[in-house]
Amino acid sequence: MPTPTKGPRLGGGPAHERLMLANMSVSLFTHKSIKTTETKAKRLRPVAERLITFAKRGDLHARRRALSILRNKEAVHILFAEIAPLVAEREGGYTRITKLGYRKGDNAPLAQIELVLEPVNKKPAKAKPAKAEAPKAAAPVAAEVVEEVVVDEVTEEVVVDAAGEAEVETVVEETVVEVAEEAPAAEATEEEAK
Amino acid sequence: MAVPKRKMSRASTRMRRAQWKATAATLVKSVDANGKVSYSLPHRAKVVEDSAGTPLFMEYKGRKVADV
């Protein structure tokens, strides 16, 4: 059961908030990922995860309970038929909220809420403290590798250009004999960059 | 409706406005493989740009999260 929300309701009142959350849930289940304000995303998370729990149960009573909230048969069908099998192994945490930037116009903080549909890769159970630390150490390295790859793709041209220009400048300043030595070096750096 | 009784003096206007300051944003510095430095907000997705400075997509923790 989600904890009750503190503070004022979204929209004009409790009924308006229920409608807004239902509509946002429908959008989330049909599109798998939606972009809203941070506040709305945080309020949507418990509602959507509870609906996914109904979908995982999968019987007629659960379907009727989901329909009583969503009021959209297509979305409920998608939820029960497509989303439920993908999150069957996952024990909670079906959504992911990523903070984006600030909206142009009213400067509202935006966030993206998406369904976590990737297959679960479970952490090994707490057998030894040393083993528990090993996957933690491995995970950031993998993340860094991915990041570096992305960065390299983006800035590859910059590297080549900058390296080429730098080498040219040094060559101009130095003597002709050293030019011959610099040329293979320049090629080597370019190859490294690639 | 309540209305001001007296004109507000230039000094008190300026004293009020003197307290109206901007705060510097907390930024995270990241350096690329080729030494290109970029700053971004902590705990927020970052816009990835190509070499010409055109925004491509938003990235968070090495994963593409959204279009710009």
Side-chain angles (χ1 to χ4, degrees), chain A residues 7-166:
Chain A
R9 304 282 91 84
L10 299 175
H16 192 179
E17 174 171 286
R18 279 198 299 275
L19 287 165
M20 284 169 79
L21 291 175
N23 289 339
M24 280 196 286
S25 308
V26 169
S27 306
L28 178 63
F29 296 141
T30 42
H31 299 286
K32 314 290 185 269
S33 146
I34 56 173
K35 200 193 268 185
T36 54
T37 60
E38 262 182 52
T39 317
K40 279 184 185 173
K42 284 179 180 175
R43 292 284 184 89
L44 176 60
R45 169 175 256 176
V47 176
E49 300 208 348
R50 188 154 170 257
L51 286 165
I52 292 174
T53 313
F54 286 148
K56 282 173 80 176
R57 194 173 294 153
D59 55 1
L60 184 61
H61 179 53
R63 189 178 287 263
R64 283 177 178 157
R65 291 183 76 184
L67 264 172
S68 75
I69 295 171
L70 289 186
R71 282 173 268 186
N72 183 325
K73 285 184 182 173
E74 286 177 28
V76 172
H77 176 72
I78 290 171
L79 176 63
F80 277 65
E82 293 175 19
I83 296 169
L86 292 172
V87 294
E89 296 295 311
R90 197 169 283 279
E91 298 169 342
Y94 310 117
T95 55
R96 178 190 292 136
I97 295 177
T98 314
K99 290 173 187 169
L100 304 175
Y102 295 89
R103 182 158 59 195
K104 197 176 179 184
D106 63 355
N107 209 24
L110 290 181
Q112 162 145 315
I113 180 166
E114 56 186 322
L115 296 172
V116 183
L117 299 176
E118 294 97 60
V120 186
N121 43 356
K122 280 189 178 175
K123 290 174 188 170
K126 286 179 182 176
K128 290 172 187 174
K131 275 197 174 182
E133 283 175 15
K136 277 183 187 173
V141 171
E144 279 173 21
V145 168
V146 173
E147 214 164 275
E148 279 176 14
V149 168
V150 172
V151 167
D152 281 355
E153 285 173 3
V154 172
T155 53
E156 192 179 324
E157 295 171 23
V158 176
V159 175
V160 175
D161 291 351
E165 285 171 11

